[in-house]
């Protein structure tokens, strides 16, 4: 079975949780990746996550919702059915913990954590940055929590 992609993960999150801001969706996708690296010891998807000014963002997903403030189920071109039962369990656990938080709370949280801060260390707040938040930095940080 092929690995799910970021759009598949986003489609599942929207299917389960419903309409949300694009920023919240980006952060939930980020935490799904981070916790998959820790709990399942493998990435959920291969696409890059970058340390943008407003927290972690996956550019491949951003290209699907650019210009929108909110996104609804069905608006991301992904297949929620591409996730394995183990992957669904991981994303469900992320949604249970982070899903009811606001986009701003999630942005503030990601910006207080080492993977984002380390990837942006030479950038001023608000500066554009395309540095990758690596799988190794996520796995190391989140496994220590």
């Amino acid at each position: 079975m092929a690995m799910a992609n970021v759009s598949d993960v986003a489609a599942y999150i929207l299917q389960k949780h419903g309409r949300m801001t694009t920023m919240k969706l980006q952060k939930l996708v980020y935490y799904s990746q981070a916790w998959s690296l820790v709990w399942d010891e493998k990435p959920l998807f291969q696409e890059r996550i970058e340390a943008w000014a407003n927290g972690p963002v996956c550019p491949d997903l951003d290209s699907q919702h650019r210009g929108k403030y909110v996104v609804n189920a069905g608006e991301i071109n992904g297949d929620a059915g591409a996730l394995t039962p183990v992957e669904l369990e991981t994303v469900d656990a992320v949604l249970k913990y982070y899903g009811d938080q606001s986009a701003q709370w999630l942005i503030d949280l990601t910006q207080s954590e080492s993977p984002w801060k380390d990837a942006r260390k030479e950038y001023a707040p608000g500066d554009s940055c395309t540095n990758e938040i690596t799988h190794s930095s996520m796995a190391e940080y989140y496994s220590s929590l």
Side-chain angles (χ1 to χ4, degrees):
M1 184 167 168
M3 176 182 275
N5 64 43
V6 69
S7 299
D8 300 334
V9 175
Y12 178 71
I13 290 171
L14 289 166
Q15 179 184 304
K16 280 286 287 204
H17 205 275
R19 174 188 168 115
M20 68 182 65
T21 67
T22 56
M23 274 299 108
K24 181 170 180 169
L25 179 61
Q26 285 282 356
K27 304 316 168 251
L28 293 174
V29 163
Y30 168 77
Y31 281 119
S32 295
Q33 178 76 302
W35 289 110
S36 177
L37 291 164
V38 174
W39 296 331
D40 308 329
E41 298 180 352
K42 68 180 186 66
L44 194 52
F45 54 86
Q46 288 300 332
E47 291 86 354
R48 282 171 64 93
I49 294 177
E50 296 178 354
W52 288 19
N54 54 10
V57 170
C58 179
D60 287 24
L61 179 57
D62 179 73
S63 70
Q64 287 198 55
H65 63 60
R66 188 168 293 131
K68 292 182 178 170
Y69 178 71
V70 296
V71 66
N72 295 290
E75 291 182 357
I76 297 294
N77 187 20
D79 175 13
L83 280 72
T84 67
V86 169
E87 292 167 343
L88 293 172
E89 202 176 307
T90 296
V91 178
D92 285 343
V94 167
L95 290 175
K96 185 173 183 197
Y97 186 80
Y98 299 99
D100 291 335
Q101 301 296 341
S102 70
Q104 190 59 56
W105 188 92
L106 292 166
I107 289 166
D108 293 345
L109 182 62
T110 59
Q111 290 181 345
S112 73
E113 296 170 336
S114 320
W116 181 84
K117 290 191 333 197
D118 292 348
R120 284 192 63 88
K121 59 180 165 268
E122 68 274 15
Y123 289 85
D127 281 358
S128 181
C129 169
T130 58
N131 288 355
E132 183 171 10
I133 299 174
T134 64
H135 290 172
S136 59
S137 73
M138 284 189 262
E140 185 180 333
Y141 177 78
Y142 294 102
S143 65
S144 74
L145 298 182

